[in-house]
Protein backbone atom coordinates (compact mmCIF):
# COMPACT_ATOMS: atom_id res chain seq x y z
CA UNK A 1 0.00 0.00 0.00
CA UNK A 2 1.20 3.49 -0.74
CA UNK A 3 1.72 5.96 2.10
CA UNK A 4 -0.21 8.57 0.13
CA UNK A 5 -3.45 6.94 1.26
CA UNK A 6 -3.58 7.38 5.03
CA UNK A 7 -6.84 6.26 6.57
CA UNK A 8 -9.58 8.43 5.12
CA UNK A 9 -12.95 8.42 6.85
CA UNK A 10 -16.00 6.87 5.25
CA UNK A 11 -18.44 9.65 4.28
CA UNK A 12 -21.08 8.02 6.46
CA UNK A 13 -18.89 8.47 9.55
CA UNK A 14 -18.35 12.12 8.64
CA UNK A 15 -22.07 12.63 8.06
CA UNK A 16 -22.89 11.26 11.51
CA UNK A 17 -20.06 12.82 13.53
CA UNK A 18 -19.81 16.26 11.90
CA UNK A 19 -23.41 16.87 10.88
CA UNK A 20 -26.19 14.69 12.30
CA UNK A 21 -24.91 14.39 15.88
CA UNK A 22 -24.00 18.08 16.36
CA UNK A 23 -27.26 19.18 14.74
CA UNK A 24 -29.24 16.73 16.86
CA UNK A 25 -30.98 15.29 13.80
CA UNK A 26 -32.02 11.64 13.82
CA UNK A 27 -31.68 9.32 10.86
CA UNK A 28 -35.42 9.08 10.17
CA UNK A 29 -35.98 12.84 10.20
CA UNK A 30 -32.89 13.42 8.07
CA UNK A 31 -33.91 10.80 5.50
CA UNK A 32 -37.36 12.39 5.30
CA UNK A 33 -35.73 15.81 4.80
CA UNK A 34 -33.67 14.39 1.90
CA UNK A 35 -36.65 12.49 0.44
CA UNK A 36 -34.77 9.18 0.53
CA UNK A 37 -35.55 5.87 2.23
CA UNK A 38 -34.48 5.72 5.87
CA UNK A 39 -32.42 2.61 5.05
CA UNK A 40 -30.21 4.63 2.69
CA UNK A 41 -29.06 6.90 5.51
CA UNK A 42 -28.86 4.05 8.05
CA UNK A 43 -26.65 1.97 5.77
CA UNK A 44 -24.53 5.00 4.90
CA UNK A 45 -23.74 5.91 8.51
CA UNK A 46 -23.00 2.24 9.27
CA UNK A 47 -20.49 2.45 6.36
CA UNK A 48 -22.30 -0.40 4.59
CA UNK A 49 -23.01 1.57 1.44
CA UNK A 50 -21.36 4.24 -0.70
CA UNK A 51 -22.30 7.84 -1.31
CA UNK A 52 -23.83 7.92 -4.79
CA UNK A 53 -24.02 11.06 -6.95
CA UNK A 54 -27.74 11.23 -6.12
CA UNK A 55 -27.06 11.14 -2.38
CA UNK A 56 -24.18 13.60 -2.74
CA UNK A 57 -26.47 16.14 -4.41
CA UNK A 58 -29.03 15.79 -1.62
CA UNK A 59 -26.44 16.01 1.17
CA UNK A 60 -24.87 19.06 -0.45
CA UNK A 61 -28.21 20.86 -0.66
CA UNK A 62 -29.31 20.02 2.87
CA UNK A 63 -25.97 20.62 4.59
CA UNK A 64 -24.71 23.60 2.57
CA UNK A 65 -21.70 21.76 1.17
CA UNK A 66 -20.83 20.75 -2.38
CA UNK A 67 -21.61 17.42 -4.00
CA UNK A 68 -17.89 17.15 -4.84
CA UNK A 69 -17.09 17.27 -1.10
CA UNK A 70 -19.03 14.03 -0.58
CA UNK A 71 -17.96 12.32 -3.81
CA UNK A 72 -14.27 13.13 -3.25
CA UNK A 73 -14.52 11.75 0.29
CA UNK A 74 -16.04 8.54 -1.08
CA UNK A 75 -13.34 8.26 -3.76
CA UNK A 76 -10.56 8.80 -1.20
CA UNK A 77 -12.05 6.09 0.99
CA UNK A 78 -12.46 3.70 -1.96
CA UNK A 79 -8.90 4.31 -3.14
CA UNK A 80 -7.49 3.66 0.35
CA UNK A 81 -9.32 0.33 0.50
CA UNK A 82 -8.18 -0.57 -3.03
CA UNK A 83 -4.56 0.38 -2.28
CA UNK A 84 -4.60 -2.03 0.68
CA UNK A 85 -6.24 -4.87 -1.23
CA UNK A 86 -4.90 -4.64 -4.79
CA UNK A 87 -1.52 -6.09 -5.67
CA UNK A 88 -0.09 -4.32 -8.71
CA UNK A 89 3.51 -5.49 -8.17
CA UNK A 90 3.28 -7.90 -11.11
CA UNK A 91 2.40 -5.15 -13.58
CA UNK A 92 5.28 -3.57 -15.44
CA UNK A 93 4.97 0.11 -16.32
CA UNK A 94 4.67 0.76 -20.06
CA UNK A 95 7.12 3.36 -21.29
CA UNK A 96 7.17 5.07 -24.66
CA UNK A 97 9.86 3.79 -27.01
Amino acid sequence: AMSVFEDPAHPGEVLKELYLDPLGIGVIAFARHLNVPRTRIERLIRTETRVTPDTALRLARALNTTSAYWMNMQTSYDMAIAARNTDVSGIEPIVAA
Side-chain angles (χ1 to χ4, degrees), residues 3-45:
S3 56
V4 186
F5 307 109
E6 313 83 52
D7 218 4
H10 187 285
E13 295 175 304
V14 174
L15 174 61
K16 185 179 190 316
E17 291 169 25
L18 295 190
Y19 296 93
L20 299 187
D21 289 353
L23 292 167
I25 300 174
V27 169
I28 294 171
F30 188 65
R32 193 175 296 135
H33 190 83
L34 264 53
N35 295 316
V36 298
R38 157 182 69 79
T39 50
R40 188 192 298 193
I41 303 303
E42 286 171 344
R43 291 175 63 217
L44 186 58
I45 65 175

